[in-house]
PDB file of all heavy atoms in Angstrom:
ATOM      1  N   GLY R  17     -39.380  82.530  41.317  1.00 78.00           N
ATOM      2  CA  GLY R  17     -37.913  82.465  41.547  1.00 78.00           C
ATOM      3  C   GLY R  17     -37.395  81.804  42.776  1.00 78.00           C
ATOM      4  O   GLY R  17     -36.159  81.727  42.988  1.00 78.00           O
ATOM      5  N   ARG R  18     -38.287  81.299  43.625  1.00 81.00           N
ATOM      6  CA  ARG R  18     -37.870  80.573  44.809  1.00 81.00           C
ATOM      7  C   ARG R  18     -37.339  79.241  44.497  1.00 81.00           C
ATOM      8  O   ARG R  18     -37.686  78.585  43.365  1.00 81.00           O
ATOM      9  CB  ARG R  18     -39.008  80.420  45.774  1.00 81.00           C
ATOM     10  CG  ARG R  18     -39.495  81.716  46.346  1.00 81.00           C
ATOM     11  CD  ARG R  18     -40.586  81.559  47.307  1.00 81.00           C
ATOM     12  NE  ARG R  18     -41.760  81.215  46.556  1.00 81.00           N
ATOM     13  CZ  ARG R  18     -42.940  80.827  47.085  1.00 81.00           C
ATOM     14  NH1 ARG R  18     -43.008  80.703  48.423  1.00 81.00           N
ATOM     15  NH2 ARG R  18     -43.977  80.500  46.347  1.00 81.00           N
ATOM     16  N   ASP R  19     -36.551  78.636  45.331  1.00 80.00           N
ATOM     17  CA  ASP R  19     -35.932  77.378  45.167  1.00 80.00           C
ATOM     18  C   ASP R  19     -37.036  76.236  45.174  1.00 80.00           C
ATOM     19  O   ASP R  19     -38.127  76.470  45.794  1.00 80.00           O
ATOM     20  CB  ASP R  19     -34.956  77.049  46.290  1.00 80.00           C
ATOM     21  CG  ASP R  19     -33.677  77.812  46.196  1.00 80.00           C
ATOM     22  OD1 ASP R  19     -33.375  78.367  45.126  1.00 80.00           O
ATOM     23  OD2 ASP R  19     -32.985  77.852  47.238  1.00 80.00           O
ATOM     24  N   LEU R  20     -36.799  75.218  44.519  1.00 84.00           N
ATOM     25  CA  LEU R  20     -37.608  74.134  44.514  1.00 84.00           C
ATOM     26  C   LEU R  20     -36.959  72.972  45.265  1.00 84.00           C
ATOM     27  O   LEU R  20     -35.713  72.705  45.028  1.00 84.00           O
ATOM     28  CB  LEU R  20     -37.910  73.550  43.113  1.00 84.00           C
ATOM     29  CG  LEU R  20     -39.209  72.935  42.762  1.00 84.00           C
ATOM     30  CD1 LEU R  20     -40.410  73.796  43.046  1.00 84.00           C
ATOM     31  CD2 LEU R  20     -39.240  72.466  41.303  1.00 84.00           C
ATOM     32  N   VAL R  21     -37.457  72.467  46.324  1.00 86.00           N
ATOM     33  CA  VAL R  21     -36.853  71.511  47.259  1.00 86.00           C
ATOM     34  C   VAL R  21     -37.640  70.274  47.334  1.00 86.00           C
ATOM     35  O   VAL R  21     -38.880  70.343  47.671  1.00 86.00           O
ATOM     36  CB  VAL R  21     -36.648  72.188  48.674  1.00 86.00           C
ATOM     37  CG1 VAL R  21     -36.030  71.129  49.623  1.00 86.00           C
ATOM     38  CG2 VAL R  21     -35.803  73.406  48.666  1.00 86.00           C
ATOM     39  N   ILE R  22     -37.017  69.139  47.028  1.00 87.00           N
ATOM     40  CA  ILE R  22     -37.674  67.866  47.334  1.00 87.00           C
ATOM     41  C   ILE R  22     -37.100  67.266  48.657  1.00 87.00           C
ATOM     42  O   ILE R  22     -35.900  66.999  48.713  1.00 87.00           O
ATOM     43  CB  ILE R  22     -37.450  66.890  46.115  1.00 87.00           C
ATOM     44  CG1 ILE R  22     -38.053  67.421  44.866  1.00 87.00           C
ATOM     45  CG2 ILE R  22     -38.036  65.536  46.431  1.00 87.00           C
ATOM     46  CD1 ILE R  22     -37.832  66.664  43.673  1.00 87.00           C
ATOM     47  N   ASP R  23     -37.807  67.100  49.609  1.00 88.00           N
ATOM     48  CA  ASP R  23     -37.536  66.730  51.030  1.00 88.00           C
ATOM     49  C   ASP R  23     -37.761  65.282  51.124  1.00 88.00           C
ATOM     50  O   ASP R  23     -38.877  64.831  51.254  1.00 88.00           O
ATOM     51  CB  ASP R  23     -38.266  67.514  52.022  1.00 88.00           C
ATOM     52  CG  ASP R  23     -37.780  67.342  53.398  1.00 88.00           C
ATOM     53  OD1 ASP R  23     -37.002  66.380  53.671  1.00 88.00           O
ATOM     54  OD2 ASP R  23     -38.233  68.125  54.237  1.00 88.00           O
ATOM     55  N   LEU R  24     -36.707  64.482  51.113  1.00 86.00           N
ATOM     56  CA  LEU R  24     -36.752  63.028  51.210  1.00 86.00           C
ATOM     57  C   LEU R  24     -36.502  62.501  52.675  1.00 86.00           C
ATOM     58  O   LEU R  24     -36.412  61.274  52.855  1.00 86.00           O
ATOM     59  CB  LEU R  24     -35.722  62.426  50.251  1.00 86.00           C
ATOM     60  CG  LEU R  24     -35.902  62.763  48.764  1.00 86.00           C
ATOM     61  CD1 LEU R  24     -34.683  62.309  47.975  1.00 86.00           C
ATOM     62  CD2 LEU R  24     -37.206  62.127  48.241  1.00 86.00           C
ATOM     63  N   ARG R  25     -36.466  63.378  53.571  1.00 85.00           N
ATOM     64  CA  ARG R  25     -36.120  62.913  54.945  1.00 85.00           C
ATOM     65  C   ARG R  25     -37.081  62.046  55.641  1.00 85.00           C
ATOM     66  O   ARG R  25     -36.733  61.110  56.420  1.00 85.00           O
ATOM     67  CB  ARG R  25     -35.833  64.133  55.907  1.00 85.00           C
ATOM     68  CG  ARG R  25     -34.622  64.909  55.473  1.00 85.00           C
ATOM     69  CD  ARG R  25     -34.428  66.152  56.297  1.00 85.00           C
ATOM     70  NE  ARG R  25     -35.581  67.101  55.985  1.00 85.00           N
ATOM     71  CZ  ARG R  25     -35.835  68.236  56.593  1.00 85.00           C
ATOM     72  NH1 ARG R  25     -34.952  68.668  57.534  1.00 85.00           N
ATOM     73  NH2 ARG R  25     -36.815  68.999  56.320  1.00 85.00           N
ATOM     74  N   ARG R  26     -38.334  62.151  55.203  1.00 86.00           N
ATOM     75  CA  ARG R  26     -39.409  61.332  55.878  1.00 86.00           C
ATOM     76  C   ARG R  26     -39.852  60.203  54.943  1.00 86.00           C
ATOM     77  O   ARG R  26     -40.813  59.590  55.140  1.00 86.00           O
ATOM     78  CB  ARG R  26     -40.603  62.155  56.311  1.00 86.00           C
ATOM     79  CG  ARG R  26     -40.256  63.038  57.458  1.00 86.00           C
ATOM     80  CD  ARG R  26     -41.471  63.737  57.892  1.00 86.00           C
ATOM     81  NE  ARG R  26     -41.102  64.531  58.976  1.00 86.00           N
ATOM     82  CZ  ARG R  26     -41.881  65.081  59.858  1.00 86.00           C
ATOM     83  NH1 ARG R  26     -43.204  64.820  59.684  1.00 86.00           N
ATOM     84  NH2 ARG R  26     -41.478  65.926  60.890  1.00 86.00           N
ATOM     85  N   ALA R  27     -39.213  60.016  53.800  1.00 86.00           N
ATOM     86  CA  ALA R  27     -39.517  58.942  52.815  1.00 86.00           C
ATOM     87  C   ALA R  27     -39.206  57.656  53.421  1.00 86.00           C
ATOM     88  O   ALA R  27     -38.035  57.476  53.918  1.00 86.00           O
ATOM     89  CB  ALA R  27     -38.844  59.230  51.525  1.00 86.00           C
ATOM     90  N   ALA R  28     -40.101  56.665  53.354  1.00 85.00           N
ATOM     91  CA  ALA R  28     -39.750  55.359  53.845  1.00 85.00           C
ATOM     92  C   ALA R  28     -38.802  54.601  52.962  1.00 85.00           C
ATOM     93  O   ALA R  28     -37.955  53.835  53.462  1.00 85.00           O
ATOM     94  CB  ALA R  28     -41.093  54.603  53.960  1.00 85.00           C
ATOM     95  N   ALA R  29     -39.003  54.669  51.655  1.00 85.00           N
ATOM     96  CA  ALA R  29     -38.180  53.947  50.722  1.00 85.00           C
ATOM     97  C   ALA R  29     -38.024  54.870  49.506  1.00 85.00           C
ATOM     98  O   ALA R  29     -39.046  55.541  49.033  1.00 85.00           O
ATOM     99  CB  ALA R  29     -38.749  52.679  50.337  1.00 85.00           C
ATOM    100  N   VAL R  30     -36.776  54.967  49.012  1.00 83.00           N
ATOM    101  CA  VAL R  30     -36.514  55.882  47.939  1.00 83.00           C
ATOM    102  C   VAL R  30     -35.783  55.080  46.774  1.00 83.00           C
ATOM    103  O   VAL R  30     -34.741  54.466  47.129  1.00 83.00           O
ATOM    104  CB  VAL R  30     -35.641  57.032  48.273  1.00 83.00           C
ATOM    105  CG1 VAL R  30     -35.399  57.988  47.024  1.00 83.00           C
ATOM    106  CG2 VAL R  30     -36.367  57.841  49.382  1.00 83.00           C
ATOM    107  N   ASP R  31     -36.275  54.990  45.626  1.00 83.00           N
ATOM    108  CA  ASP R  31     -35.596  54.440  44.451  1.00 83.00           C
ATOM    109  C   ASP R  31     -34.594  55.415  43.850  1.00 83.00           C
ATOM    110  O   ASP R  31     -35.028  56.459  43.492  1.00 83.00           O
ATOM    111  CB  ASP R  31     -36.636  54.060  43.459  1.00 83.00           C
ATOM    112  CG  ASP R  31     -36.037  53.201  42.264  1.00 83.00           C
ATOM    113  OD1 ASP R  31     -34.826  53.121  42.159  1.00 83.00           O
ATOM    114  OD2 ASP R  31     -36.871  52.505  41.643  1.00 83.00           O
ATOM    115  N   ALA R  32     -33.344  54.980  43.866  1.00 82.00           N
ATOM    116  CA  ALA R  32     -32.346  56.064  43.364  1.00 82.00           C
ATOM    117  C   ALA R  32     -32.449  56.336  41.979  1.00 82.00           C
ATOM    118  O   ALA R  32     -32.251  57.409  41.484  1.00 82.00           O
ATOM    119  CB  ALA R  32     -30.907  55.449  43.590  1.00 82.00           C
ATOM    120  N   ARG R  33     -33.060  55.439  41.174  1.00 85.00           N
ATOM    121  CA  ARG R  33     -33.326  55.685  39.773  1.00 85.00           C
ATOM    122  C   ARG R  33     -34.319  56.708  39.616  1.00 85.00           C
ATOM    123  O   ARG R  33     -34.261  57.644  38.727  1.00 85.00           O
ATOM    124  CB  ARG R  33     -33.803  54.364  39.056  1.00 85.00           C
ATOM    125  CG  ARG R  33     -34.083  54.425  37.596  1.00 85.00           C
ATOM    126  CD  ARG R  33     -34.448  53.054  37.077  1.00 85.00           C
ATOM    127  NE  ARG R  33     -35.512  52.357  37.983  1.00 85.00           N
ATOM    128  CZ  ARG R  33     -36.777  52.459  37.913  1.00 85.00           C
ATOM    129  NH1 ARG R  33     -37.289  53.420  37.036  1.00 85.00           N
ATOM    130  NH2 ARG R  33     -37.558  51.861  38.686  1.00 85.00           N
ATOM    131  N   ILE R  34     -35.347  56.730  40.385  1.00 86.00           N
ATOM    132  CA  ILE R  34     -36.478  57.773  40.325  1.00 86.00           C
ATOM    133  C   ILE R  34     -35.877  59.112  40.744  1.00 86.00           C
ATOM    134  O   ILE R  34     -36.210  60.121  40.159  1.00 86.00           O
ATOM    135  CB  ILE R  34     -37.587  57.389  41.248  1.00 86.00           C
ATOM    136  CG1 ILE R  34     -38.304  56.075  40.509  1.00 86.00           C
ATOM    137  CG2 ILE R  34     -38.559  58.404  41.405  1.00 86.00           C
ATOM    138  CD1 ILE R  34     -39.354  55.504  41.409  1.00 86.00           C
ATOM    139  N   THR R  35     -35.053  59.141  41.770  1.00 82.00           N
ATOM    140  CA  THR R  35     -34.390  60.385  42.226  1.00 82.00           C
ATOM    141  C   THR R  35     -33.566  60.958  41.092  1.00 82.00           C
ATOM    142  O   THR R  35     -33.617  62.189  40.945  1.00 82.00           O
ATOM    143  CB  THR R  35     -33.502  60.128  43.459  1.00 82.00           C
ATOM    144  OG1 THR R  35     -34.310  59.470  44.494  1.00 82.00           O
ATOM    145  CG2 THR R  35     -32.968  61.369  44.053  1.00 82.00           C
ATOM    146  N   ALA R  36     -32.843  60.131  40.416  1.00 82.00           N
ATOM    147  CA  ALA R  36     -31.978  60.539  39.305  1.00 82.00           C
ATOM    148  C   ALA R  36     -32.875  61.155  38.139  1.00 82.00           C
ATOM    149  O   ALA R  36     -32.536  62.176  37.527  1.00 82.00           O
ATOM    150  CB  ALA R  36     -31.120  59.441  38.714  1.00 82.00           C
ATOM    151  N   ASP R  37     -34.004  60.450  37.931  1.00 84.00           N
ATOM    152  CA  ASP R  37     -34.906  61.012  36.865  1.00 84.00           C
ATOM    153  C   ASP R  37     -35.581  62.295  37.277  1.00 84.00           C
ATOM    154  O   ASP R  37     -35.644  63.269  36.416  1.00 84.00           O
ATOM    155  CB  ASP R  37     -36.095  59.947  36.722  1.00 84.00           C
ATOM    156  CG  ASP R  37     -37.019  60.369  35.580  1.00 84.00           C
ATOM    157  OD1 ASP R  37     -36.511  60.773  34.575  1.00 84.00           O
ATOM    158  OD2 ASP R  37     -38.244  60.372  35.744  1.00 84.00           O
ATOM    159  N   LEU R  38     -35.998  62.527  38.549  1.00 82.00           N
ATOM    160  CA  LEU R  38     -36.469  63.853  39.103  1.00 82.00           C
ATOM    161  C   LEU R  38     -35.351  64.923  38.841  1.00 82.00           C
ATOM    162  O   LEU R  38     -35.695  66.008  38.507  1.00 82.00           O
ATOM    163  CB  LEU R  38     -36.974  63.779  40.500  1.00 82.00           C
ATOM    164  CG  LEU R  38     -38.323  63.023  40.675  1.00 82.00           C
ATOM    165  CD1 LEU R  38     -38.618  62.789  42.130  1.00 82.00           C
ATOM    166  CD2 LEU R  38     -39.451  63.727  39.975  1.00 82.00           C
ATOM    167  N   SER R  39     -34.267  64.484  39.293  1.00 80.00           N
ATOM    168  CA  SER R  39     -33.086  65.486  39.271  1.00 80.00           C
ATOM    169  C   SER R  39     -32.784  65.955  37.807  1.00 80.00           C
ATOM    170  O   SER R  39     -32.632  67.114  37.608  1.00 80.00           O
ATOM    171  CB  SER R  39     -31.858  64.839  39.834  1.00 80.00           C
ATOM    172  OG  SER R  39     -30.741  65.735  39.751  1.00 80.00           O
ATOM    173  N   SER R  40     -32.896  65.003  36.894  1.00 80.00           N
ATOM    174  CA  SER R  40     -32.556  65.387  35.458  1.00 80.00           C
ATOM    175  C   SER R  40     -33.742  66.243  34.815  1.00 80.00           C
ATOM    176  O   SER R  40     -33.532  67.111  34.100  1.00 80.00           O
ATOM    177  CB  SER R  40     -32.332  64.130  34.607  1.00 80.00           C
ATOM    178  OG  SER R  40     -33.570  63.356  34.473  1.00 80.00           O
ATOM    179  N   ARG R  41     -34.889  65.890  35.275  1.00 80.00           N
ATOM    180  CA  ARG R  41     -36.154  66.664  34.736  1.00 80.00           C
ATOM    181  C   ARG R  41     -36.203  68.122  35.206  1.00 80.00           C
ATOM    182  O   ARG R  41     -36.564  69.013  34.553  1.00 80.00           O
ATOM    183  CB  ARG R  41     -37.424  66.003  35.065  1.00 80.00           C
ATOM    184  CG  ARG R  41     -37.643  64.695  34.235  1.00 80.00           C
ATOM    185  CD  ARG R  41     -38.923  64.144  34.525  1.00 80.00           C
ATOM    186  NE  ARG R  41     -39.017  62.790  33.910  1.00 80.00           N
ATOM    187  CZ  ARG R  41     -40.094  62.447  33.137  1.00 80.00           C
ATOM    188  NH1 ARG R  41     -41.056  63.267  32.890  1.00 80.00           N
ATOM    189  NH2 ARG R  41     -40.135  61.271  32.631  1.00 80.00           N
ATOM    190  N   PHE R  42     -35.821  68.322  36.517  1.00 77.00           N
ATOM    191  CA  PHE R  42     -35.858  69.607  37.086  1.00 77.00           C
ATOM    192  C   PHE R  42     -34.567  70.413  36.892  1.00 77.00           C
ATOM    193  O   PHE R  42     -34.555  71.619  36.810  1.00 77.00           O
ATOM    194  CB  PHE R  42     -36.047  69.578  38.634  1.00 77.00           C
ATOM    195  CG  PHE R  42     -37.502  69.171  38.992  1.00 77.00           C
ATOM    196  CD1 PHE R  42     -37.814  68.219  39.746  1.00 77.00           C
ATOM    197  CD2 PHE R  42     -38.574  70.134  38.655  1.00 77.00           C
ATOM    198  CE1 PHE R  42     -39.115  67.825  40.137  1.00 77.00           C
ATOM    199  CE2 PHE R  42     -39.797  69.756  38.930  1.00 77.00           C
ATOM    200  CZ  PHE R  42     -40.040  68.655  39.783  1.00 77.00           C
ATOM    201  N   GLY R  43     -33.506  69.649  36.549  1.00 74.00           N
ATOM    202  CA  GLY R  43     -32.167  70.229  36.301  1.00 74.00           C
ATOM    203  C   GLY R  43     -31.521  70.892  37.581  1.00 74.00           C
ATOM    204  O   GLY R  43     -31.817  70.514  38.698  1.00 74.00           O
ATOM    205  N   ALA R  44     -30.862  72.055  37.334  1.00 73.00           N
ATOM    206  CA  ALA R  44     -30.190  72.754  38.409  1.00 73.00           C
ATOM    207  C   ALA R  44     -31.137  73.522  39.371  1.00 73.00           C
ATOM    208  O   ALA R  44     -30.745  73.907  40.391  1.00 73.00           O
ATOM    209  CB  ALA R  44     -29.028  73.619  37.845  1.00 73.00           C
ATOM    210  N   GLY R  45     -32.416  73.602  38.969  1.00 74.00           N
ATOM    211  CA  GLY R  45     -33.286  74.385  39.690  1.00 74.00           C
ATOM    212  C   GLY R  45     -33.956  73.704  40.964  1.00 74.00           C
ATOM    213  O   GLY R  45     -34.915  74.197  41.498  1.00 74.00           O
ATOM    214  N   VAL R  46     -33.408  72.586  41.283  1.00 82.00           N
ATOM    215  CA  VAL R  46     -33.965  71.821  42.447  1.00 82.00           C
ATOM    216  C   VAL R  46     -32.952  71.397  43.427  1.00 82.00           C
ATOM    217  O   VAL R  46     -31.796  71.071  42.982  1.00 82.00           O
ATOM    218  CB  VAL R  46     -34.822  70.623  41.877  1.00 82.00           C
ATOM    219  CG1 VAL R  46     -33.864  69.591  41.381  1.00 82.00           C
ATOM    220  CG2 VAL R  46     -35.658  69.985  43.010  1.00 82.00           C
ATOM    221  N   ARG R  47     -33.298  71.389  44.601  1.00 84.00           N
ATOM    222  CA  ARG R  47     -32.313  70.869  45.731  1.00 84.00           C
ATOM    223  C   ARG R  47     -33.081  69.645  46.337  1.00 84.00           C
ATOM    224  O   ARG R  47     -34.278  69.719  46.338  1.00 84.00           O
ATOM    225  CB  ARG R  47     -32.036  71.910  46.758  1.00 84.00           C
ATOM    226  CG  ARG R  47     -30.983  72.884  46.444  1.00 84.00           C
ATOM    227  CD  ARG R  47     -30.704  73.741  47.635  1.00 84.00           C
ATOM    228  NE  ARG R  47     -31.867  74.333  48.416  1.00 84.00           N
ATOM    229  CZ  ARG R  47     -32.130  74.178  49.715  1.00 84.00           C
ATOM    230  NH1 ARG R  47     -31.271  73.481  50.399  1.00 84.00           N
ATOM    231  NH2 ARG R  47     -33.140  74.709  50.139  1.00 84.00           N
ATOM    232  N   MET R  48     -32.374  68.712  46.738  1.00 85.00           N
ATOM    233  CA  MET R  48     -32.913  67.509  47.470  1.00 85.00           C
ATOM    234  C   MET R  48     -32.374  67.437  48.882  1.00 85.00           C
ATOM    235  O   MET R  48     -31.150  67.713  49.028  1.00 85.00           O
ATOM    236  CB  MET R  48     -32.744  66.289  46.749  1.00 85.00           C
ATOM    237  CG  MET R  48     -33.395  66.315  45.330  1.00 85.00           C
ATOM    238  SD  MET R  48     -33.327  64.727  44.536  1.00 85.00           S
ATOM    239  CE  MET R  48     -33.997  65.064  43.023  1.00 85.00           C
ATOM    240  N   LEU R  49     -33.125  67.180  49.829  1.00 86.00           N
ATOM    241  CA  LEU R  49     -32.755  67.029  51.242  1.00 86.00           C
ATOM    242  C   LEU R  49     -32.865  65.499  51.544  1.00 86.00           C
ATOM    243  O   LEU R  49     -33.935  64.915  51.239  1.00 86.00           O
ATOM    244  CB  LEU R  49     -33.606  67.809  52.210  1.00 86.00           C
ATOM    245  CG  LEU R  49     -33.620  69.435  51.989  1.00 86.00           C
ATOM    246  CD1 LEU R  49     -34.473  69.986  53.023  1.00 86.00           C
ATOM    247  CD2 LEU R  49     -32.137  69.861  52.237  1.00 86.00           C
TER     248      LEU R  49
END
């Protein structure tokens, strides 16, 4: 039941399309930093 957090603060490069895909697969049960 704990939150699922994807921490992007130290990512060198992030593809917005991939972030959108991860967000849709996990749904509301994930937070991104």
Side-chain angles (χ1 to χ4, degrees):
R18 292 180 287 173
D19 289 344
L20 211 62
V21 177
I22 298 178
D23 189 346
L24 302 168
R25 293 176 293 177
R26 294 187 178 197
V30 180
D31 186 345
R33 181 178 46 83
I34 293 172
T35 305
D37 183 46
L38 286 174
S39 177
S40 67
R41 287 185 189 229
F42 285 120
V46 69
R47 281 186 312 124
M48 296 191 186
L49 297 177

